[in-house]
Amino acid sequence: MKSNESAENYLETVLILSQKLPVVRSIDIAAELGFKKPSVSVAMKHLREKGHIAVSGAGYITLTESGKEIAEMIYERHNFLSGWLISLGVDKKIAAEDACRIEHVISCESFAAIKKAVAQDFST
């Protein structure tokens, strides 16, 4: 399930918006990320071609199974890492920015090991 950082960010954004809005459109993604709509449209075309999203005739964007899997993985990493960094005393804004960078490059193995170690720290 290889993907690039930009694609992962778009998928994560679709996931987050789908939890807040009744439908997700390119304009919603553009507003959320602060990007221009043509840039988002190009990205959505690539994600659709890769089978990570579906776009209805009305322009509503939904995650496919593969897209949802990627989005949920990135979202979990982001929430966990930012929360962990905050618990270590890192400023919320910095923790969120750092988590956003780390979430895309950390291996599944390393992330699982960190989660396990943190869980052990809280259980003792």
Side-chain angles (χ1 to χ4, degrees), residues 16 19 41 49 67 76 100 105 112-113:
I16 292 166
Q19 295 170 349
S41 294
E49 289 172 350
E76 177 196 14
C100 195
V105 296

Side-chain angles (χ1 to χ4, degrees), residues 18-112:
S18 70
Q19 295 170 349
K20 295 192 243 181
L21 303 172
V23 295
V24 178
R25 302 163 300 153
S26 288
I27 193 76
D28 302 317
I29 297 166
E32 181 75 14
L33 296 174
F35 295 163
K36 296 189 184 299
K37 190 171 180 297
S39 298
V40 173
S41 294
V42 169
M44 294 302 104
K45 178 180 182 254
H46 291 281
L47 291 173
R48 189 177 67 246
E49 289 172 350
K50 290 182 178 182
H52 296 315
I53 64 165
V55 182
S56 74
Y60 303 148
I61 299 165
T62 55
L63 295 168
T64 62
E65 191 172 320
S66 67
K68 188 173 182 181
E69 188 177 330
I70 295 166
E72 287 176 343
M73 175 192 68
I74 295 300
Y75 191 56
E76 177 196 14
R77 288 177 177 192
H78 181 86
N79 287 333
F80 179 85
L81 292 167
S82 61
W84 179 49
L85 291 169
I86 291 166
S87 76
L88 295 174
V90 177
D91 175 79
K92 280 184 177 187
K93 185 174 188 283
I94 293 170
E97 290 169 357
D98 287 346
C100 195
R101 286 190 289 276
I102 296 167
E103 69 196 23
H104 301 287
V105 296
I106 193 168
S107 70
C108 291
E109 182 180 355
S110 293
F111 182 66

